[in-house]
Amino acid sequence: MSPNPATLDELLGALAHTHTLLQQQAARSVDLALVVRNWLFGRHIVEFEDGAASRAELYGKRLLDNLAKQLTERLGPGFSKRNLEQCRRFYLAYREIAQTASAQSAWLVQTGDATGWLAPLLGHFRLGWSHYVTLLALKSEDERRFYEIEAHANSWGVRELQRQIAASLYERLALSRNTDEVRALARSGQVIAKPADVLKSPYVLEFLNLPERHAYSEHELETAIIDQLQMFLLELGKGFLFEARQKRFTFDDDHFYVDLVFYNRLLRCYVLIDLKRNKLTHQDLGQMQMYVNYFDRYVKTADENRSIGIILCHQKNDALVEITLPPDANIHAAEYQLYLPSKDELQRRLAEWVAQSEGEA
């Protein structure tokens, strides 16, 4: 858009763009202010409860009921007991933020300028209130921190955040990493620095709406993925760009086809995906090794990194992968599921795996 509109249409476009941009910024500012307000509400309530045992005994379980009633009478709707309880839980989950706020913010100061002591709070929160309500349902602090980082970094809406939690993204990433990298997930989110960082265990393809026991072919699975490519890219994770389906290359007068070809801009390499309806075989691994070798020798440029091969199968065999491929092979087998995994089961597996890994250390 030209900085100096020369026509009426350009002027209208500039005005509309400015209005939309600032309207979005205003909505974001209002939502952020709501988050800070609710955190302060929770802080006031908790500090009141902790301030004097006699007051806590006096109000007991009726404190939030009384507050909800009187706040509604004074300020209008939006102050139900449930909302106040969420504010209280919100503060308790993010209590450490209190160390960054001025002591004056314990109770609202009676001045016209509150920006000085509110600035640390406004700078800390990065998501909307609905996001935080969703995060409060998570019992694990590490898990909550991970999803908070990922939701902000990837601009997830509330529905996508809920989908990733339901699909157990944290546990699936953790099960593909060592114990040190599991801890790093809570500190930094998902960092893509090496080929193994793009893997999940398993991949969840419930958005394809294919029934688990339906006798579909690999072609049908591939077609369903293409039809839901945006969702599949979200499931793959950060940095993926789609290049081709059934990518053909010819070697020694024979034609070969790679099911799906992607490029990861963070790793700067091709990612080849082959779909297998049944359990993994050594022939599948050998075929993928050939695909990766071809791309490394004839497709990638000198400044790009080695290609990655991922075989998505219904049932993988880690021992078969280990004995078939050389240690430095850039090829991985990963299972997929057509339904949301049991979060409790994945959490149990992760806890057992971490305990076993730490015991062997």
Side-chain angles (χ1 to χ4, degrees):
M1 182 179 295
S2 173
N4 298 308
T7 67
L8 180 59
D9 285 342
E10 288 182 357
L11 176 60
L12 287 171
L15 294 176
H17 176 72
T18 300
H19 170 78
T20 301
L21 185 66
L22 293 180
Q23 188 178 52
Q24 291 173 345
Q25 180 61 40
R28 168 67 179 150
S29 298
V30 169
D31 203 12
L32 185 58
L34 177 63
V35 170
V36 172
R37 186 209 70 175
N38 289 346
W39 184 88
L40 286 169
F41 269 29
R43 180 175 183 175
H44 299 334
I45 292 170
V46 170
E47 290 185 346
F48 180 83
E49 291 174 335
D50 294 344
S54 60
R55 277 200 305 223
E57 292 171 358
L58 175 63
Y59 286 95
K61 296 181 179 179
R62 296 179 300 151
L63 175 59
L64 296 185
D65 289 315
N66 291 334
L67 286 175
K69 179 180 179 181
Q70 295 184 46
L71 283 172
T72 301
E73 292 174 353
R74 181 180 297 190
L75 301 176
F79 302 97
S80 66
K81 178 183 177 181
R82 180 174 179 274
N83 288 342
L84 294 176
E85 176 57 33
Q86 286 178 333
C87 294
R88 184 179 182 278
R89 290 174 54 211
F90 183 45
Y91 171 72
L92 291 174
Y94 291 87
R95 195 168 192 164
E96 75 281 359
I97 299 172
Q99 299 174 0
T100 67
S102 167
Q104 289 179 311
S105 66
W107 295 93
L108 292 176
V109 291
Q110 301 300 316
T111 66
D113 182 14
T115 56
W117 56 267
L118 278 178
L121 296 178
L122 290 168
H124 182 88
F125 297 109
R126 299 173 291 182
L127 301 175
W129 176 239
S130 296
H131 289 82
Y132 284 111
V133 170
T134 299
L135 292 173
L136 286 176
L138 300 174
K139 297 179 181 179
S140 166
E141 181 178 349
D142 286 348
E143 187 178 359
R144 186 172 63 247
R145 295 295 189 197
F146 166 78
Y147 284 113
E148 182 181 3
I149 293 169
E150 289 297 303
H152 173 69
N154 297 291
S155 301
W156 287 345
V158 176
R159 290 184 63 183
E160 181 57 27
L161 172 62
Q162 292 170 342
R163 189 259 167 189
Q164 296 290 3
I165 292 174
S168 303
L169 175 63
Y170 175 77
E171 290 85 359
R172 291 186 291 125
L173 286 174
L175 286 168
S176 301
R177 285 152 173 76
N178 61 41
T179 49
D180 290 337
E181 291 173 329
V182 170
R183 297 185 182 97
L185 286 175
R187 295 194 306 269
S188 308
Q190 184 184 12
V191 177
I192 307 296
K194 58 184 184 300
D197 291 336
V198 303
L199 298 178
K200 298 183 177 73
S201 178
Y203 287 83
V204 178
L205 309 181
E206 94 290 348
F207 51 84
L208 301 181
N209 295 318
L210 290 172
E212 171 66 8
R213 293 182 173 83
H214 177 58
Y216 55 86
S217 65
E218 290 163 7
H219 174 75
E220 289 172 319
L221 178 60
E222 177 187 319
T223 300
I225 287 175
I226 295 300
D227 289 343
Q228 297 287 341
L229 186 58
Q230 182 178 3
M231 294 296 294
F232 187 64
L233 286 170
L234 287 172
E235 175 62 15
L236 286 178
K238 297 179 179 179
F240 278 92
L241 305 172
F242 176 66
E243 177 169 304
R245 170 191 186 184
Q246 289 295 311
K247 178 78 171 182
R248 189 183 85 167
F249 66 89
T250 302
F251 183 76
D252 199 20
D253 294 329
D254 288 323
H255 300 306
F256 302 93
Y257 300 86
V258 185
D259 287 344
L260 299 169
V261 177
F262 295 86
Y263 191 85
N264 190 285
R265 60 183 181 84
L266 300 179
L267 294 176
R268 299 188 69 251
C269 69
Y270 286 98
V271 181
L272 316 178
I273 296 181
D274 232 11
L275 305 170
K276 300 300 176 184
R277 176 65 185 92
N278 299 310
K279 68 179 183 178
L280 183 71
T281 68
H282 68 277
Q283 291 93 338
D284 299 330
L285 294 167
Q287 177 178 269
M288 179 56 77
Q289 179 74 76
M290 182 191 65
Y291 292 168
V292 167
N293 289 344
Y294 181 87
F295 267 73
D296 282 348
R297 296 172 188 176
Y298 301 108
V299 179
K300 85 175 187 68
T301 60
D303 61 335
E304 291 177 325
N305 293 314
R306 294 170 56 202
S307 304
I308 302 171
I310 300 177
I311 303 172
L312 278 184
C313 52
H314 197 61
Q315 182 181 350
K316 71 172 183 173
N317 185 326
D318 292 329
L320 180 64
V321 175
E322 184 177 350
I323 199 171
T324 302
L325 298 175
D328 62 344
N330 222 10
I331 296 172
H332 308 271
E335 293 182 351
Y336 67 84
Q337 292 183 190
L338 299 177
Y339 54 89
L340 292 177
S342 167
K343 193 172 185 67
D344 291 339
E345 174 64 17
L346 283 175
Q347 289 176 338
R348 183 189 63 78
R349 285 172 54 193
L350 178 58
E352 291 177 352
W353 177 83
V354 169
Q356 181 180 358
S357 299
E358 292 178 343
E360 295 173 350

